[in-house]
Amino acid sequence: MPYAATHLATPPTREAVDALKGQAVLEFGTAWCGHCQRAQPLIEQALQPRAQVEHIKVEDGPGRPLGRSYRVKLWPTLVVLRDGQEVARVVRPQTAQELEEALAALQA
């Protein structure tokens, strides 16, 4: 599944994420977050050649249980998952290299 430009209307549950099969990137943030907006071109560039990686974009905030279950503190936070298990994490990526290194964990 390619890059997702918009946040899901209804976020998945932690149980649904834990049950995912294959490779995925769970992105936490908001549409109005400046850090999130600046990171979007980097995220899109990193995911573009990886059609097999599902991109799940979740709007986060106080009281949002999925973000709390991953202990998200800053946006954007990208959690790289293989079969529902975290294998890497990037918080507020500044370079494409940071994302590439995290996504490389999917192949390890």
Side-chain angles (χ1 to χ4, degrees):
M1 179 179 256
Y3 168 79
T6 59
H7 294 88
L8 293 174
T10 304
T13 63
R14 178 63 190 250
E15 292 77 22
V17 173
D18 289 344
L20 286 173
K21 297 296 179 207
Q23 303 172 350
V25 172
L26 193 56
E27 178 187 345
F28 293 94
T30 66
W32 51 263
C33 165
H35 295 287
C36 301
Q37 293 167 0
R38 282 189 295 281
Q40 292 312 297
L42 296 174
I43 297 167
E44 184 174 14
Q45 176 186 344
L47 291 175
Q48 185 177 17
R50 295 175 172 89
Q52 77 282 8
V53 178
E54 183 177 2
H55 181 214
I56 305 166
K57 195 167 184 164
V58 178
E59 187 167 343
D60 193 35
R64 301 284 176 112
L66 188 59
R68 302 302 64 76
S69 74
Y70 280 98
R71 292 184 163 86
V72 172
K73 302 257 190 255
L74 299 171
W75 301 325
T77 292
L78 290 91
V79 179
V80 181
L81 305 166
R82 185 184 325 111
D83 294 328
Q85 300 302 306
E86 182 173 343
V87 295
R89 178 182 293 231
V90 181
V91 179
R92 289 193 178 166
Q94 302 294 311
T95 66
Q97 180 68 28
E98 289 176 271
L99 293 167
E100 293 295 331
E101 289 172 5
L103 290 168
L106 290 170
Q107 308 309 318

